[in-house]
Amino acid sequence: MRRPKVSIIGAGNIGGECARSIAMKQLADVVLLDIPDKVGVAQGKALDIACCAPIERFDATVKGTSDYADIAGSDVVVVTAGVPRKPGQSRDDLIGINTGIVKSVGENIKKHAPNAIVIVVSNPLDAMVYVMWKVTGFAPSRIIGQAGALDVARFREFLALKLGCSVEDITALLLGGHGDDMVPLPRFTSVSGIPIQQLLSDAVIDECVQRAKVGGGEIVKLMGTSAWYAPSAGTVQMVEAIIRDKKRIIPSAAYCEDEYGVAPGHKGKGLFVGVPCVLGDKGVEKIVQIQMTADEKKLMDESISHVRDLVAVVQRMFPEMA
Ligand code: APR
């Protein structure tokens, strides 16, 4: 039986950790690709990860390269190419440089891995997923952004710290764009089925919500660059759902038109927004629609409008992406 194949574009902090985790979980053979100037880094990381195999006991090949021909036949391509944040920068500040990078990566994916499902990680996420969709012309169900998996993990971790309970027992939901205006939903958050509002005060829940929103920035301030362990963990959770066809419901940036009132009735004019998605081997197999209160809807609308503004910036830079 052929082993699945996952290619990772960008062999930096997130790309390297994704490669290690995918190999360790024996999800797929991995190709780690970077620009020619960084091919040594891609090859070195690949070799280092491969040498973990006898200790960690996995059978998966890991290949470092700068040649896009090596991504042919990939089931999933993960895109982590681009520059990360520095202290004082927002994700949106990266739009100028990362749009050009993601555009060139997308052109190569279209050429060399035309049947792949693409998970975009590069920031500003919601705009970069849109760029990938426009450049590849792939069905929107095959283009997904990683954001909610990470944001929910942060929210769950901060709640668990307050509760002194296992994170495993906390399930939570968080929607909207991958920015400081993301929309955590305490009403859909529970601990082993017990609504979170019965366990923590509104003030403490709000504290966790705020920390989840700026959790990425907190780490940038500490390290001088953006996080990679949890972003990779979130990405690999999505890769696993797809490769193993698990039909997991994971909040992800998915293409919405009528869904969540993003662009009702405007065919082809939708946006990629964080929504609960069923992820399986066809990519986004379903977007789950939830009933929101007026307050929640207002926050979601504001977040969608922020994503729309970001995409407008991209369209001004590259009119062909309108
Ligand atoms: N093709 C392939 N790789 C590229 C390209 C390109 N055109 N341009 C840049 N890269 C590579 C860089 O050479 C670098 O190795 O992308 C890698 C990015 O790695 P890091 O700088 O370590 O950044 P990382 O922390 O991994 O974040 C990557 O994900 O979450 C986002 O905001 C983050 O946009 C950033 C991206």
Side-chain angles (χ1 to χ4, degrees), residues 9-15 33-35 38 68 79-85 94 98 101 104-105 121-123 225-228 231:
I9 315 300
N13 287 331
I14 299 180
L33 182 146
D34 213 298
I35 50 175
K38 294 274 190 74
Y68 272 98
V79 179
T80 73
V83 294
R85 283 197 276 175
L94 308 175
N98 282 355
I101 292 174
S104 81
V105 170
V121 184
S122 313
N123 276 314
T225 189
S226 52
W228 60 85

Side-chain angles (χ1 to χ4, degrees), residues 67-304:
D67 182 356
Y68 272 98
D70 288 324
I71 75 166
S74 296
D75 299 281
V76 176
V77 178
V78 174
V79 179
T80 73
V83 294
R85 283 197 276 175
K86 295 202 174 58
Q89 279 188 314
S90 77
R91 295 183 180 94
D92 297 358
D93 293 334
L94 308 175
I95 197 164
I97 181 153
N98 282 355
T99 297
I101 292 174
V102 171
K103 183 172 177 285
S104 81
V105 170
E107 283 159 359
N108 278 301
I109 294 173
K110 181 179 181 180
K111 184 168 171 204
H112 295 278
N115 299 315
I117 291 170
V118 184
I119 300 177
V120 179
V121 184
S122 313
N123 276 314
L125 190 272
D126 309 279
M128 294 306 104
V129 194
Y130 180 90
V131 170
M132 185 57 66
W133 173 55
K134 280 288 171 180
V135 170
T136 56
F138 289 1
S141 57
R142 288 206 282 129
I143 306 280
I144 319 165
Q146 187 289 129
L150 164 65
D151 297 332
V152 159
R154 286 184 173 145
F155 187 37
R156 288 170 62 200
E157 170 61 16
F158 299 145
L159 288 170
L161 288 174
K162 290 288 179 195
L163 286 161
C165 78
S166 167
V167 284
E168 274 183 54
D169 293 330
I170 301 177
T171 55
L173 186 55
L174 201 148
L175 308 181
H178 185 45
D180 295 350
D181 58 356
M182 62 183 79
V183 187
L185 294 169
R187 215 162 53 85
F188 294 88
T189 300
S190 67
V191 184
S192 288
I194 306 161
I196 193 74
Q197 286 100 336
Q198 295 196 16
L199 301 171
L200 291 174
S201 68
D202 287 350
V204 174
I205 296 171
D206 196 48
E207 204 185 302
C208 295
V209 164
Q210 292 312 323
R211 196 168 176 205
K213 283 185 182 185
V214 297
E218 190 180 334
I219 293 172
V220 175
K221 260 192 226 152
L222 289 166
M223 300 201 299
T225 189
S226 52
W228 60 85
Y229 293 116
S232 305
T235 306
V236 175
Q237 186 181 49
M238 295 167 73
V239 169
E240 182 177 25
I242 294 165
I243 292 288
R244 302 225 161 117
D245 194 24
K246 287 176 78 99
K247 320 284 189 204
R248 290 204 60 187
I249 298 182
I250 298 176
S252 313
Y255 182 76
C256 298
E257 280 176 4
D258 294 341
E259 297 88 353
Y260 290 87
V262 169
H266 290 83
K267 220 155 175 33
K269 296 287 172 202
L271 295 170
F272 287 78
V273 178
V275 288
C277 297
V278 177
L279 297 187
D281 69 357
K282 311 226 166 15
V284 176
E285 299 193 352
K286 189 179 175 192
I287 291 172
V288 181
Q289 198 78 39
I290 57 164
Q291 297 283 333
M292 299 171 104
T293 63
D295 285 349
E296 289 163 353
K297 173 105 182 46
K298 185 166 170 282
L299 289 175
M300 184 68 171
D301 287 346
E302 284 167 9
S303 194
I304 292 168

